[in-house]
Amino acid sequence: MSFEIVPLGQTLGAEIKGLDLTQKLDTETLAAVRAAWLEHLVLLFRGQSLNDEKLVAFSKQFGELDSVPTWDQFHSPGHAQVLVISNVIEAGKAIGVLGDGEAAWHTDMSYIERPPTASILHAHEIPDTGGDTSWINMYAVLDAVPPELRAEIEGLELNHDATHDSSATLRPGLDAVADVSRMPGARHPIIRRHPESGRPALYFGRRLNAYVVGMEIEQSEALLDRLWTYCSEDKFIFCHQWQLGDVVMWDNRCTMHRRGSFDPAQRRIMHRTEIIGEKPSAA
Ligand code: SIN
């Protein structure tokens, strides 16, 4: 199978042209797609038409799938490994998560011990405007952190809050906690070594309720605020305007992403799979 790689953003993102994802990738093509993904961090495949079986089959070529148990009422019916991201309400009930507001910068499921390696998102219905998704290159962000600040964060761990999602909604079955130093969640190194590329990247989850382990809360907040200022450089960001049928696959170990808000009167339905990852290790 042959395909073309067209870079999209300045420091991340590429479109893969010429592949039909309903077909199993042969060994050579799979290795080449994987290499392109490690290089470009976010891959876009346009014009795909994957039902849930096909989305799962495509995703499984990259590893074992997670079933996101904290959101099990939002799985696509009959597909425990497919999470619905949507603002659509049917019979008075939301069919998916994240609504129509902004989903703030985050890394998927960083609040668990083994956060996903990759996320794969397929556009089923999209609004006329808005709801764009952006990714940021966290290798590049770390490279932009001045040496003195980098020295300050070497060896530190961040606690990743499990209680709220990226739309600042309390997850079902969890209680809000006021003290950030006591948030349930997982602790991971702030500077993470990517297990495949070997490169160090800044590893953040959500800014909300993040906490630098062992610090006074004020000191932790100030340090995180300083670090987050490096996450706003346009050149590190790739913004994607969705088209129907798009499939985007990204690397959660070295990127963060955010989703813009959109008109609540419009429908947006996306189906997502997650590849189970490893416990992050320090760089
Ligand atoms: C997500 O945060 O995983 C969802 C992004 C999107 O809905 O575009």
Side-chain angles (χ1 to χ4, degrees), residues 124-147:
H124 284 244
E125 288 190 47
I126 52 168
D128 295 338
T129 56
D132 301 345
T133 306
S134 302
W135 287 266
I136 184 163
N137 180 335
M138 298 301 280
Y139 294 130
V141 173
L142 179 63
D143 287 344
V145 169

Side-chain angles (χ1 to χ4, degrees), residues 6 8 13 28 64 78 104 107 114 119 121 141-142 155 169-170 176 179 189 192 200 223 227 242 251 263 265 268 270:
V6 181
L8 296 170
E28 206 178 301
E64 194 189 336
T107 312
R114 292 175 59 197
S119 302
L121 192 60
V141 173
L142 179 63
T169 304
L170 189 64
D179 178 351
R192 171 179 189 178
L223 178 58
L227 286 170
W242 292 92
D251 192 330
D263 179 354
R268 187 177 189 273
M270 319 289 276

Side-chain angles (χ1 to χ4, degrees), residues 1 21 73 85-86 97 101 108 155 164 176 182 188 205 212 268 280:
M1 295 167 172
L21 303 188
Q73 67 272 52
I85 296 182
S86 182
V97 296
D108 284 333
H164 287 78
R182 293 171 186 273
H188 301 303
V212 182
R268 187 177 189 273

